[in-house]
Amino acid sequence: MEIQSYKTHSANAQEVQRKWYVIDAEQAIVGRLASRVATILRGKHKPIFTPHVDTGDYVIIVNADKVRFTGNKEDAKLYYSYSGYPGGLKSRTARAVRAKKPEHLLRHAVKGMLPKGVLGRQMLTKLKVYASADHPHGAQNPEELPC
């Protein structure tokens, strides 16, 4: 009886083939969309996924101002920013953040689902979020992904 030997394949940066995806976030739930996007940015949807290598693809999110929250999170969920000075902690509700900077809602949610450290920051640079339906990445021929 012959014993088969399988080798575990570890991807490296040179062999990663990156694709571009566009997602329409209209009426999508923030957390569910963010977890799907984080999976694509990390590369966990690919068979060559390696935890310590960025094997993910680029993601363009359009209509970020039309995402929705479940329950009363629109008014109850708080986003904090700290200036570094005493008394410099500011908090805004999700409704206020949407009015001022709607892209921040999705970017913040996805950032929390990526690895912390250098690799996670590198993965976050592949995320492009736009409040309207227009984006400047038409030359990359992004393929449409349903939410």
Side-chain angles (χ1 to χ4, degrees):
M1 184 163 119
E2 187 176 315
I3 298 176
Q4 271 189 322
S5 168
Y6 293 104
K7 297 226 177 194
T8 301
H9 176 72
S10 284
N12 57 27
Q14 291 81 25
E15 67 186 45
V16 177
Q17 302 278 321
R18 299 199 194 283
K19 292 173 77 175
W20 284 74
Y21 295 105
V22 64
I23 297 176
D24 187 5
E26 188 168 357
Q27 292 302 312
I29 298 170
V30 174
R32 293 177 189 194
L33 177 63
S35 65
R36 174 115 192 250
V37 169
T39 301
I40 295 168
L41 288 174
R42 259 194 104 182
K44 292 191 92 171
H45 64 293
K46 294 181 176 182
I48 65 163
F49 171 70
T50 306
H52 63 278
V53 178
D54 184 7
T55 58
D57 295 324
Y58 289 87
V59 177
I60 304 162
I61 301 176
V62 294
N63 290 324
D65 58 343
K66 296 183 176 95
V67 294
R68 65 187 179 100
F69 288 94
T70 55
N72 68 338
K73 291 188 193 105
E74 188 83 29
D75 296 311
K77 186 169 178 57
L78 295 175
Y79 290 86
Y80 296 99
S81 63
Y82 181 56
S83 68
Y85 289 97
L89 182 65
K90 292 181 185 174
S91 62
R92 291 189 176 95
T93 62
R95 187 179 304 277
V97 172
R98 182 195 306 266
K100 190 167 186 166
K101 202 185 284 189
E103 305 91 9
H104 181 72
L105 292 174
L106 280 169
R107 185 176 305 281
H108 186 270
V110 171
K111 182 180 178 182
M113 296 181 186
L114 290 175
K116 312 307 181 257
V118 178
L119 188 61
R121 289 190 295 273
Q122 179 184 344
M123 291 173 184
L124 195 62
T125 61
K126 297 191 314 266
L127 176 64
K128 316 294 181 190
V129 186
Y130 299 99
S132 65
D134 301 326
H135 64 84
H137 305 286
Q140 280 76 25
N141 297 323
E143 110 182 27
E144 184 88 24
L145 263 183
C147 303

